[in-house]
Amino acid sequence: QVQLVESGGGLVQPGESLRLSCAASASIFSISTMGWYRQAPGKQRELVAAITSGGSTNYVDSVNGRFTISRDNAKNTVSLQMNSLKPEDTAVYYCNADRYSTLLGWVRYWGQGTQVTVSS
């Protein structure tokens, strides 16, 4: 079982930056992929950014160039640096981890979410 705890959300003005962090209870070295999803009011949850154990990254087009995902295996954390924030980025952001279990196969874990609000 992997527990994920997000932090760093808050209220910021457009154009400002925010850094989200996700702490995992297990070594993320053994976790294939970690990522950040977000869900805005009335919208579907969408993948924002993902990073593999090998360090390759993917971003949704709307944040590409503004957001950067990184992982620190030694500290068991994954971060999302969000720059040039827009009101459209307002959402609850969820940390995600995908881990392979010998018994269960691929298992997806979720954090409880952290609110990010971008408003003037």
Side-chain angles (χ1 to χ4, degrees), residues 1-117:
Q1 184 69 232
V2 178
Q3 294 177 306
L4 305 173
V5 180
E6 305 99 332
S7 63
L11 173 64
V12 297
Q13 293 182 307
E16 295 183 340
S17 299
L18 207 58
R19 186 177 181 86
L20 305 182
S21 294
C22 174
S25 62
S27 173
I28 62 173
F29 180 80
S30 64
I31 301 175
S32 296
T33 303
M34 298 195 72
W36 289 93
Y37 285 71
R38 67 185 180 187
Q39 187 166 25
K43 302 292 183 64
Q44 298 293 318
R45 185 174 299 188
E46 67 172 352
L47 174 66
V48 179
I51 185 167
T52 69
S53 60
S56 62
T57 59
N58 284 307
Y59 301 91
V60 67
D61 288 343
S62 60
V63 309
N64 194 38
R66 298 188 297 119
F67 291 11
T68 302
I69 187 172
S70 61
R71 62 193 293 169
D72 188 332
N73 293 338
K75 297 181 178 180
N76 295 334
T77 59
V78 173
S79 298
L80 184 67
Q81 178 66 45
M82 304 184 294
N83 298 327
S84 302
L85 283 162
K86 304 175 180 179
E88 305 93 275
D89 296 318
T90 296
V92 177
Y93 284 70
Y94 298 90
C95 183
N96 153 253
D98 294 332
R99 182 172 180 268
Y100 184 80
S101 167
T102 302
L103 277 65
L104 304 176
W106 289 103
V107 180
R108 171 161 284 185
Y109 301 93
W110 297 97
Q112 293 301 305
T114 184
Q115 177 71 48
V116 172
T117 302

